[in-house]
Amino acid sequence: MDPREIIIRPVITEHSFDMMEHNTYTFEVAKNANKIEIAKAVEEVFKVKVVRVNTMNVKPKPKRVRGPLGLTRTWKKAMVTLAEGDTIEIFGA
């Protein structure tokens, strides 16, 4: 699998910004990717050293649009911890 197919997008939230101070970055990743594939993809795309990868499947939440009740989509989140001294410029200063 191509590394750019594994890493879909960075997750930009208040919590993810706080975790960047601890050198942990959050990404939406492909549902079928495992921790080893995610670590290799991040290392290849961003040229950094990955120390640890934590993953979780985000469950759908109920949403109502006009009449019927629907659900948001399910997706997989990966929190990637980098080696000391490595950083990723998400917004590309």
Side-chain angles (χ1 to χ4, degrees), residues 27-90:
F27 297 97
E28 179 183 346
V29 296
K31 280 186 179 182
N32 59 352
N34 61 33
K35 292 182 180 188
I36 296 167
E37 292 172 338
I38 294 167
K40 287 180 181 178
V42 170
E43 287 178 348
E44 188 174 327
V45 171
F46 297 107
K47 308 291 189 264
V48 292
K49 175 72 175 139
V50 174
V51 175
R52 180 177 47 222
V53 177
N54 296 334
T55 61
M56 61 192 80
N57 290 310
V58 180
K59 295 182 179 172
K61 295 180 182 178
K63 295 288 181 181
R64 184 179 304 276
V65 178
R66 298 196 180 189
L69 184 68
L71 295 173
T72 60
R73 65 189 179 90
T74 60
W75 54 287
K76 190 171 193 175
K77 179 175 15 178
M79 300 177 78
V80 179
T81 303
L82 303 181
E84 195 66 36
D86 286 342
T87 59
I88 295 175
E89 288 298 324
I90 290 184

Side-chain angles (χ1 to χ4, degrees), residues 11-27 52 54 56 77-82 86-88 90:
V11 176
I12 309 299
T13 62
E14 239 179 270
H15 184 256
S16 67
F17 266 98
D18 292 341
M19 294 303 292
M20 285 183 200
E21 295 175 6
H22 303 291
N23 227 16
T24 301
Y25 296 85
T26 308
F27 297 97
R52 180 177 47 222
N54 296 334
M56 61 192 80
K77 179 175 15 178
M79 300 177 78
V80 179
T81 303
L82 303 181
D86 286 342
T87 59
I88 295 175
I90 290 184

